């Protein structure tokens, strides 16, 4: 955190874990209780976290407010991908400022290799580098149109049942044409549900000597002072993967409108912003040898990170409507259909499993009808 010494010079010092624990208890845990009280006594049908935070800020000191802002940004904008003005108070904000976190993935065991292992076990053919543009379910069998080779060639696939697992952002953009159009209630839910953005700046140093931060600390949160214009750096939350990757690796996290903003910048421009915070935290740090910047809102196969609970909507109802099959041929899965498990890999996986069970039942029913005919 930053503070001014007796001469008025800005200093950045590490906070002791014991102090961080006390701050979490005094500031964040108190805020969650305050937010719950607001929700339980509110006369409005819903409230945003922005409104709750505004009321809470008036009750705490300037120093506590700085910790609160850092925690709120880390959880609200980065974890839930939303601006606080649109994030419903029904969202359970979880911020762990003191305890160790546990990670299941190790080197070379990421999502890509995990998906490949599952696909290998299924033993089916998969078309990669292909893009679905049209789903025609107006006939007894579903006709799926795909583009390949960057749109230079097209192909059509015929199936009895189809699982639609594209991200909510793709559905909202109408990137896939459904014939006939999806039921009006489902389309309205697609239009009304919200998708947030969370991006990362992944930095890799090749030399072990470049590691100038505590190797075993997993998370670093920067609590800066405002500059003369009242602004603070965008990048304040960092994870440290160095001990998992065997070389110095830091990941900067950013969410909400800040995450959308950086997508218009070059990698070097993003890194320039990130280094402002890192140099305040670790003065001896050098620019990384490699940098990877995600831009999920600009990625046409995603168009966002994942869904969130927006003010004024019943997420559980919307999610259930989105998950509902269309007849016995179109089935929907993905994190936005997973109800309470939205925004998680677990939700995406289990919703896919549930859709597969329904598809099998539909196929068995179709086979029985064909046998009778």
């Amino acid at each position: 955190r930053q503070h001014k010494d007796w001469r008025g010079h800005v200093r950045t010092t590490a906070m002791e874990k014991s102090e961080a624990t006390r701050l979490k208890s005094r500031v964040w845990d108190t805020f969650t209780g305050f937010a719950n009280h607001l929700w339980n006594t509110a006369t409005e049908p819903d409230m945003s976290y922005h409104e709750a935070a505004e009321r809470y800020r008036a009750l705490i000191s300037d120093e506590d407010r700085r910790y609160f802002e850092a925690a709120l940004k880390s959880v609200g904008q980065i974890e839930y991908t939303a601006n606080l003005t649109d994030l419903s108070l029904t969202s359970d904000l979880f911020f762990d400022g003191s305890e160790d976190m546990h990670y299941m993935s190790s080197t070379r065991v990421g999502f890509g290799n995990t998906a490949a292992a599952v696909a290998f076990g299924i033993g089916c053919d998969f078309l990669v580098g292909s893009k679905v543009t049209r789903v025609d379910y107006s006939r007894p069998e579903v006709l799926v149109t795909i583009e390949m080779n960057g749109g230079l060639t097209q192909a059509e696939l015929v199936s009895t049942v189809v699982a639609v697992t594209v991200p909510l952002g793709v559905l909202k953009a109408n990137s896939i044409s459904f014939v006939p159009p999806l039921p009006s209630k489902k389309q309205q839910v697609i239009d009304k549900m919200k998708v947030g953005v969370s991006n990362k700046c992944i930095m890799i140093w090749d030399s072990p000597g470049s590691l100038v931060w505590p190797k075993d600390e997993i998370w670093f949160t920067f609590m800066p002072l405002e500059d003369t214009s009242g602004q603070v750096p965008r990048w304040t939350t960092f994870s440290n993967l160095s001990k998992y990757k065997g070389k110095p690796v830091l990941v900067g996290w950013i969410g909400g409108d800040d995450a959308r903003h950086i997508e218009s910048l070059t990698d070097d421009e993003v890194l320039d912003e990130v280094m402002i915070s890192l140099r305040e935290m670790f003065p001896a740090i050098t620019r990384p040898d490699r940098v990877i910047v995600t831009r999920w809102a600009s990625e046409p196969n995603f168009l966002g990170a994942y869904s969130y609970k927006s003010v004024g909507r019943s997420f559980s109802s919307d999610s259930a409507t989105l998950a509902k099959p269309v007849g016995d041929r179109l089935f929907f899965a993905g994190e936005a259909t997973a109800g309470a498990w939205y925004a998680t890999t677990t939700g995406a996986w289990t919703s896919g499993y549930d859709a597969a069970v329904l598809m099998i039942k539909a196929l068995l029913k179709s086979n029985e009808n064909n046998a009778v005919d």
Side-chain angles (χ1 to χ4, degrees):
R1 65 179 171 184
Q2 287 187 325
H3 63 278
K4 290 185 178 180
D5 62 18
W6 65 277
R7 294 177 178 175
H9 297 156
V10 175
R11 306 293 184 189
T12 304
T13 57
M15 184 183 297
E16 294 291 336
K17 282 191 174 182
S18 58
E19 184 179 0
T21 300
R22 288 194 298 271
L23 268 174
K24 177 181 180 294
S25 176
R26 184 174 76 239
V27 181
W28 185 256
D29 293 348
T30 302
F31 169 67
T32 57
F34 178 81
N36 286 334
H37 174 73
L38 285 180
W39 172 246
N40 292 328
T41 59
T43 56
E44 304 91 345
D46 200 356
M47 181 185 296
S48 72
Y49 262 98
H50 171 77
E51 184 175 349
E54 282 291 289
R55 297 186 187 186
Y56 184 67
R57 288 186 184 101
L59 305 176
I60 58 179
S61 67
D62 289 344
E63 182 64 20
D64 284 355
R65 193 176 298 122
R66 289 176 57 213
Y67 176 88
F68 176 63
E69 298 299 339
L72 195 61
K73 184 175 183 179
S74 179
V75 180
Q77 287 186 232
I78 296 174
E79 182 70 17
Y80 283 84
T81 73
N83 293 323
L84 297 179
T85 53
D86 197 36
L87 186 63
S88 171
L89 206 58
T90 60
S91 305
D92 295 322
L93 297 194
F94 171 79
F95 177 70
D96 188 341
S98 58
E99 298 177 1
D100 291 336
M101 299 187 72
H102 302 277
Y103 298 85
M104 65 177 181
S105 181
S106 57
T107 304
R108 303 186 187 281
V109 189
F111 284 134
N113 286 334
T114 300
V118 173
F120 179 79
I122 294 175
C124 297
D125 292 331
F126 291 86
L127 285 175
V128 295
S130 56
K131 181 180 179 181
V132 175
T133 59
R134 191 171 189 263
V135 177
D136 185 345
Y137 63 104
S138 64
R139 58 193 73 200
E141 290 186 311
V142 184
L143 186 66
V144 179
T145 303
I146 62 173
E147 289 182 351
M148 299 177 291
N149 302 320
L152 296 177
T153 58
Q154 282 191 343
E156 292 182 338
L157 305 176
V158 178
S159 179
T160 304
V161 292
V162 169
V164 180
T165 63
V166 296
L168 177 59
V170 174
L171 291 176
K172 291 178 70 65
N174 296 314
S175 301
I176 299 174
S177 174
F178 289 92
V179 180
L182 295 173
S184 59
K185 188 174 182 180
K186 184 182 287 289
Q187 188 60 54
Q188 288 171 9
V189 162
I190 291 172
D191 294 339
K192 295 292 186 180
M193 291 182 78
K194 298 295 184 67
V195 178
V197 183
S198 179
N199 280 314
K200 303 174 188 176
C201 178
I202 304 163
M203 296 158 285
I204 305 163
W205 290 260
D206 294 329
S207 171
S210 298
L211 194 150
V212 294
W213 55 88
K215 181 180 180 180
D216 294 330
E217 290 291 334
I218 304 300
W219 288 97
F220 300 113
T221 301
F222 182 39
M223 294 172 53
L225 292 172
E226 294 180 351
D227 62 19
T228 54
S229 62
Q231 300 298 311
V232 295
R234 287 191 180 91
W235 297 85
T236 58
T237 300
F238 300 88
S239 56
N240 174 24
L241 306 184
S242 303
K243 72 176 183 179
Y244 298 104
K245 300 301 182 182
K247 60 174 59 180
V249 177
L250 288 175
V251 180
W253 297 70
I254 197 169
D257 280 347
D258 285 340
R260 294 184 186 277
H261 167 77
I262 65 102
E263 297 201 8
S264 64
L265 306 179
T266 66
D267 286 1
D268 282 340
E269 288 172 332
V270 171
L271 183 59
D272 287 343
E273 285 193 358
V274 173
M275 293 303 295
I276 292 173
S277 297
L278 288 179
R279 288 194 180 107
E280 292 291 342
M281 298 166 69
F282 312 110
I285 197 169
T286 59
R287 286 178 77 90
D289 297 295
R290 285 176 287 165
V291 61
I292 301 168
V293 179
T294 64
R295 294 176 174 86
W296 290 112
S298 305
E299 167 55 56
N301 294 325
F302 294 89
L303 299 177
Y306 40 77
S307 60
Y308 64 88
K309 294 181 178 180
S310 60
V311 175
R313 300 293 302 179
S314 170
F315 187 90
S316 59
S317 176
D318 287 347
S319 182
T321 299
L322 183 60
K324 187 177 180 180
V326 178
D328 288 330
R329 284 174 292 173
L330 288 190
F331 298 83
F332 291 78
E335 59 82 20
T337 71
W341 286 98
Y342 73 102
T344 68
T345 304
T346 298
W349 179 276
T350 55
S351 70
Y353 182 91
D354 292 342
V357 171
L358 294 176
M359 292 168 73
I360 291 172
K361 291 180 179 179
L363 287 171
L364 292 174
K365 180 180 177 181
S366 176
N367 291 338
E368 290 175 358
N369 291 339
N370 291 336
V372 172
D373 294 340

